[in-house]
Amino acid sequence: MTTKTESTGWRQLLSDHVDARMVGIDTDEAVADRNAIVQLDPDHPGFRDQEYRRRRNQIAQIAMNYHPGDPIPDAPYTTEEHQVWSAIWQALKPAHRRHACAEYNACLKKLDFAPDRIPQLREVNEKVRAISGFRLEPVAGLVQPRVFLENLADEVFLCTQYIRHHSTPLYTPEPDVVHEIVGHGVTLASERLAELNRLFGQAVKRTTSAEALEKLSRVYWFTIEFGVLREDGRVKAYGTGLLSSAGELAEMRTAELRPFNLPAASRQDYDPTHFQPVLFCADSFQGMYRTLREYLSKW
Ligand SMILES: [Fe+2]
């Protein structure tokens, strides 16, 4: 599904973890040719850039060779790609000041990213692990929602390592390292948000029916990915999908805000290809934390 924007022309928003995230790996081809493992759609911004595709394959290969417990190899980012990070950072800095909740901004300070260089997962892990026990581990391709969510129980966040194409710094059709680090990496440096992620994983492990898994996935979507809350009388974001995109943060004010009712969120359908028209807003960070923790613990 596509929507029109001024900056990118036709724009496709990313789907995410709980939507059986496609990173574009073709397993048949991976077997046949290990140098061509990433498949990009013809309308992907990097489709015609052979150098970008080569690097995407190389980065996917890092994940395929990775064994849990090994040190995570650094991704070979180019100067152009570090500049993409800088451009995103410049857009996000004022957006975070304005729209991010205090817990997020405090974590951002702890991680202290350089404004002009994409941090490596290895570096992010050093800090995040010391705070919450969580670590980011690279993944090359399609991860089923159950696999993704269950890993959270073991304090493992499966994430992509590539960055979007340099021609569209403020747009990506798939979750990239910016969403993973600026969104999830930062929130996992919060003990309370990390605990909620872990409880999601444990709840999924206790879930057998597809219907129940879908309900939990929706709650994950409307909290960890697109959660908002009130702070000092204003609506602030704690959801990673919002916090990793200046565009999403700006659009947040147009959403219909509903009370923080998790059974209602578990029944609420969403379209990952659009800015979210409905958000569930908690009265405070502590209120969100307590209510969600209780909901997941009793699941
Ligand atoms: Fe996400």
Side-chain angles (χ1 to χ4, degrees), residues 14 16-17 21 148 157 175 179-180 184 220 225 240-241:
L14 55 90
D16 208 347
H17 318 95
R21 62 200 332 228
F148 168 76
F157 186 89
H179 172 69
E180 310 288 38
H184 296 281
Y220 185 90
E225 292 285 354
T240 57

Side-chain angles (χ1 to χ4, degrees), residues 277-293:
V278 170
L279 298 172
F280 291 85
C281 185
D283 289 337
S284 66
F285 186 91
Q286 191 60 16
M288 175 281 294
Y289 166 70
R290 280 202 192 130
T291 307
L292 184 53
R293 185 178 57 173

Side-chain angles (χ1 to χ4, degrees), residues 85 111 113 118-131 134-136 159 177 180-182 184-186 188-189:
W85 171 271
L111 295 190
F113 298 130
I118 307 165
Q120 296 288 346
L121 298 188
R122 171 184 55 78
E123 300 169 299
V124 180
N125 277 349
E126 280 168 19
K127 291 183 178 171
V128 170
R129 256 188 122 157
I131 296 167
F134 262 87
R135 61 192 184 277
L136 313 180
C159 78
V177 73
E180 310 288 38
I181 289 182
V182 177
H184 296 281
V186 175
L188 290 170

Side-chain angles (χ1 to χ4, degrees), residues 59 81 92-93 106 215 239 275 292:
I59 290 172
E81 287 176 326
L92 277 175
K93 214 174 162 185
K215 280 187 169 182
F275 289 129
L292 184 53

Side-chain angles (χ1 to χ4, degrees), residues 116-239:
D116 55 358
R117 185 178 65 82
I118 307 165
Q120 296 288 346
L121 298 188
R122 171 184 55 78
E123 300 169 299
V124 180
N125 277 349
E126 280 168 19
K127 291 183 178 171
V128 170
R129 256 188 122 157
I131 296 167
S132 71
F134 262 87
R135 61 192 184 277
L136 313 180
E137 289 192 353
V139 65
L142 175 67
V143 180
Q144 293 299 333
R146 177 176 285 281
V147 174
F148 168 76
L149 291 166
E150 282 191 349
N151 266 275
L152 298 174
D154 302 322
E155 301 179 325
V156 172
F157 186 89
L158 297 176
C159 78
T160 51
Q161 212 171 356
Y162 63 85
I163 193 161
R164 63 198 68 179
H165 192 254
H166 62 83
S167 62
T168 59
L170 299 183
Y171 157 68
T172 175
E174 58 211 331
D176 68 347
V177 73
V178 176
H179 172 69
E180 310 288 38
I181 289 182
V182 177
H184 296 281
V186 175
T187 53
L188 290 170
S190 152
E191 284 180 51
R192 287 181 291 179
L193 290 171
E195 184 190 353
L196 295 174
N197 274 273
R198 199 161 38 235
L199 289 172
F200 263 109
Q202 291 166 358
V204 168
K205 283 192 167 185
R206 295 193 297 272
T207 301
T208 48
S209 81
E211 196 192 344
L213 180 62
E214 197 164 319
K215 280 187 169 182
L216 262 185
S217 297
R218 290 196 195 108
V219 175
Y220 185 90
W221 179 266
F222 285 112
T223 56
I224 301 295
E225 292 285 354
F226 283 92
V228 291
L229 50 82
R230 275 180 224 287
E231 217 165 58
D232 303 327
R234 298 185 57 195
V235 177
K236 303 279 181 159
Y238 67 94

